[in-house]
Amino acid sequence: MAKGVLNFKMNEADINAVKEAARVYNTTMTEIITEAVHEYLEKIQMDPFYRLSVNAGEASDEESTEILGEIEGLSDDDLTISSVKEFRL
């Protein structure tokens, strides 16, 4: 997979914490940050709001606005997954 360069700012305490973790685990700051990003993305990609919002991209602008408006009106209880069923064809 091709890699790109990303520049961003962090507060100095976080930078020092990442440096220390990289030193302790004998790895690089890039590896620490990349793993943290992967873990965060896995977490948010399971979030119902995220999943519904991503799928709204296939809708028209009007449909997307309506769908996102409905989603934003949902409570945390509404967004809690109460059960999971898997169907295979």
Side-chain angles (χ1 to χ4, degrees), residues 10-30:
M10 291 176 68
N11 69 51
E12 201 162 328
D14 289 340
I15 292 169
N16 290 334
V18 172
K19 283 180 182 178
E20 182 68 9
R23 185 189 66 74
V24 168
Y25 288 100
N26 194 32
T27 189
T28 65
M29 291 178 64
T30 297

Side-chain angles (χ1 to χ4, degrees), residues 60-78:
S60 70
D61 288 344
E62 184 178 298
E63 290 169 326
S64 294
T65 301
E66 181 181 347
I67 291 168
L68 292 174
E70 291 293 324
I71 292 169
E72 288 171 357
L74 296 174
S75 70
D76 288 341
D77 286 339
D78 293 330

